[in-house]
Every structure is written in structure tokens, then in C-alpha cells.
Amino acid sequence: MAWFQVTHTFPSRSKGNYLVTHEVERAVESELKKFKVGMCNIFLQHTSASLCLNENVCREVREDLTMALNHIAPETLRYKHTDEGPDDMPGHVKSAIMGVSLDIPIRDGKLALGTWQGIYLSEHRTHQHRRTVVITLQGEKSGK
């Protein structure tokens, strides 16, 4: 059983859903290609952003997801936690609903994503924030 771990920081982004599959793959590509089978865990070290898997082609999906999340956790609710601004507590709610961790199988040196699946970084705060993930690969390396 082999392990590899790296920390990756995404560029600053404002509120929205961003396709980051290629950024994640680039962060681990030299090690990922060594694994025959395994798991890739991506853990976001923040509480007002999230990760998810979703449609990787149509940009409207990302825009619709932002709209739906804003409807589920609007800034207009009477939150008690308002120390960091009106977008902070809705960001925590969205993060709690969506989650901050993904597990993706590794097959033959690649992430075994479905044809239309991509990794999203969902930024729930209005102003730009840098977000950091810990990416851990675990599994059996190929004999190559």
C-alpha cells in the first residue's frame, strides 16, 4: 500500500462554482500516474466553501447551482452569526450541505471520473478567497 499527499492552493475566486478538475490532476499528476488502483481524497480546509462532483461541460449547470444554493441559504435570513458579513453564515450553511471532501477512485494512473463528471470548487463568499486542499492518494502502485 502506497501513500502520497500534497497541499494545493487554488487562485483567489469570488462567489460561484468553478471546474477545477485539471488543477487537481496537475497537482498530483507525477504521482497519480504511478498508481494502478486506489483512492484519491480531496479535503478542503475551509468552512465557507465546498467541493462536489457535477456536470463538466455545460457552464449553465454551475450558474444554476449557484442560483439554487443562494435560494436554499439566502443572505436575507436573520442569522445570528454575522461577524464576518452577510455572506459568511450562508457560506457555512452551503458548505455543510455540500461537504468539503471528495473520494474519487484511481484506475490505471487516472482519476476514474465519469464521462460528464468534473470536480467543482464552490466558493460561497462574495469577495475573493484563496482556498487550500489536501490531496491524498492511497493505493497500489503499478509495477512500471
Side-chain angles (χ1 to χ4, degrees):
M1 179 80 59
W3 292 84
F4 172 78
Q5 189 173 79
V6 66
T7 300
H8 175 74
T9 301
F10 295 106
S12 296
R13 294 178 165 105
S14 57
K15 186 185 285 188
N17 292 285
Y18 300 91
L19 190 60
V20 296
T21 309
H22 296 304
E23 290 177 68
V24 170
E25 289 171 333
R26 279 193 301 273
V28 295
E29 70 181 331
S30 63
E31 288 297 319
L32 180 62
K33 64 185 177 186
K34 297 176 185 177
F35 283 82
K36 178 179 174 61
V37 65
M39 291 297 292
C40 172
N41 174 267
I42 308 162
F43 177 76
L44 181 66
Q45 297 181 303
H46 302 279
T47 61
S48 57
S50 56
L51 296 170
C52 73
L53 292 178
N54 219 308
E55 159 75 50
N56 67 359
V57 175
C58 185
R59 180 175 187 80
E60 287 84 2
V61 172
R62 296 190 294 274
E63 294 167 358
D64 288 344
L65 183 56
T66 299
M67 178 189 63
L69 289 169
N70 288 337
H71 180 76
I72 292 167
E75 291 183 16
T76 55
L77 290 181
R78 299 180 71 166
Y79 299 104
K80 293 179 181 178
H81 174 68
T82 59
D83 296 346
E84 296 180 50
D87 64 337
D88 188 43
M89 191 58 215
H92 294 314
V93 172
K94 295 168 188 174
S95 179
I97 291 169
M98 294 182 67
V100 296
S101 184
L102 295 174
D103 289 314
I104 302 169
I106 299 168
R107 182 187 313 124
D108 296 325
K110 297 179 183 171
L111 297 179
L113 293 167
T115 302
W116 307 110
Q117 286 183 319
I119 302 168
Y120 282 21
L121 170 65
S122 299
E123 175 57 64
H124 305 305
R125 300 294 305 272
T126 302
H127 299 293
Q128 292 188 354
H129 288 80
R130 290 171 54 104
R131 301 302 189 178
T132 300
V133 291
V134 176
I135 307 169
T136 304
L137 308 179
Q138 170 193 4
E140 178 185 330
K141 289 190 174 182
S142 61
K144 298 177 185 177

